[in-house]
Amino acid sequence: MPEPGWTLCAPCPHCFFHAWQRIDGGGLCWEAEWECDQCEFGGPRDACNTDGGWGPAPHGVRAAVVAAEGTVLLRVEGSGGAALTVFRDALGMTIPQVLAAVRDGYRATPVEARYLTQRLRAAGFGARTQ
Ligand SMILES: [Zn+2]
């Protein structure tokens, strides 16, 4: 067992992983933190419980965002290379993924949908969510 005062830089079984995305200064970013009322992890002395970055969220972070906020189906109206570029630049998708997203719609998180809609409109495309 850790001694009192030991900063264990790992979550305990009671820790809750909380993640979200936002649009900041025109860029897509994500943040994640562990919250817990049972262990020291995430206490004020301890910054190792938080993480964040720009661009597409890492897999586990995105999964937590989807679990918390769900997804919307984003549909692009019209087609063309610029729409493909928006998806690729925003979310780091591969060409087959991008083609499928433009053709069939893309299951985006609410923040991704807002961000993609802004970028698509700036590139001259319509976008709607369902
Ligand atoms: Zn904990």
Side-chain angles (χ1 to χ4, degrees), residues 11-15 36 38-39 41:
C12 85
H14 304 285
C15 285
C36 193
Q38 306 225 4
C39 71
F41 193 59

Side-chain angles (χ1 to χ4, degrees), residues 9-103:
C9 224
C12 85
H14 304 285
C15 285
F16 177 74
F17 186 63
H18 179 66
W20 62 97
Q21 293 169 296
R22 57 195 175 81
I23 301 168
D24 190 344
L28 180 68
C29 61
W30 59 274
E31 289 174 34
E33 67 178 13
W34 292 92
E35 290 173 309
C36 193
D37 54 11
Q38 306 225 4
C39 71
E40 293 286 318
F41 193 59
R45 298 179 288 120
D46 182 6
C48 68
N49 67 313
T50 63
D51 201 2
W54 293 93
H59 184 75
V61 170
R62 190 174 191 276
V65 173
V66 169
E69 300 178 21
T71 59
V72 295
L73 185 63
L74 179 77
R75 287 197 171 277
V76 181
E77 290 158 357
S79 63
L84 305 183
T85 306
V86 168
F87 276 91
R88 204 184 53 193
D89 290 352
L91 299 178
M93 293 163 75
T94 65
I95 294 295
Q97 287 172 332
V98 170
L99 289 171
V102 171
R103 187 185 61 227

